[in-house]
Amino acid sequence: MNAPLIRLQINGCTVEARAGTSVAAAIAQHSLIFRRSTTGQPRAAFCGMGVCFECRVAIDGIGQRRACMVPVREGMQVSCDD
Ligand code: FES
């Protein structure tokens, strides 16, 4: 049995992810870049368990959230420009 689909917005684009999926996984599933380093290099989730902070995003206007630690929620607004 599949988990229900959740709709959220990532960088202004509406995407779908299964309930229980982390925000980091939803971003990766849609091939979106988390943010860029100070030298402009694309960054992505690394540890997937809340340790490295490479997956920082803003969620519903609150910055510095670790995307790998937050499950998707209907209507969630995610910005990778945090
Ligand atoms: S991927 Fe390392 S803290 Fe999220």
Side-chain angles (χ1 to χ4, degrees):
M1 186 169 113
N2 286 332
L5 282 172
I6 302 291
R7 283 184 167 207
L8 64 152
Q9 287 210 329
I10 302 175
N11 295 340
C13 298
T14 300
V15 301
E16 291 181 327
R18 295 281 174 197
T21 301
S22 72
V23 172
I27 292 170
Q29 285 173 340
H30 294 87
S31 302
L32 299 168
I33 295 172
F34 279 80
R35 61 188 175 85
R36 296 205 176 262
S37 71
T38 55
T39 60
Q41 297 298 310
R43 310 302 295 180
F46 181 67
C47 72
M49 59 184 188
V51 176
C52 73
F53 286 73
E54 288 291 336
C55 63
R56 292 185 310 261
V57 296
I59 298 175
D60 295 332
I62 301 172
Q64 305 294 309
R65 304 286 310 274
R66 288 170 291 173
C68 68
M69 302 301 291
V70 180
V72 295
R73 181 177 30 77
E74 187 70 35
M76 179 181 265
Q77 306 276 328
V78 178
S79 173
C80 297
D81 295 329
D82 184 33

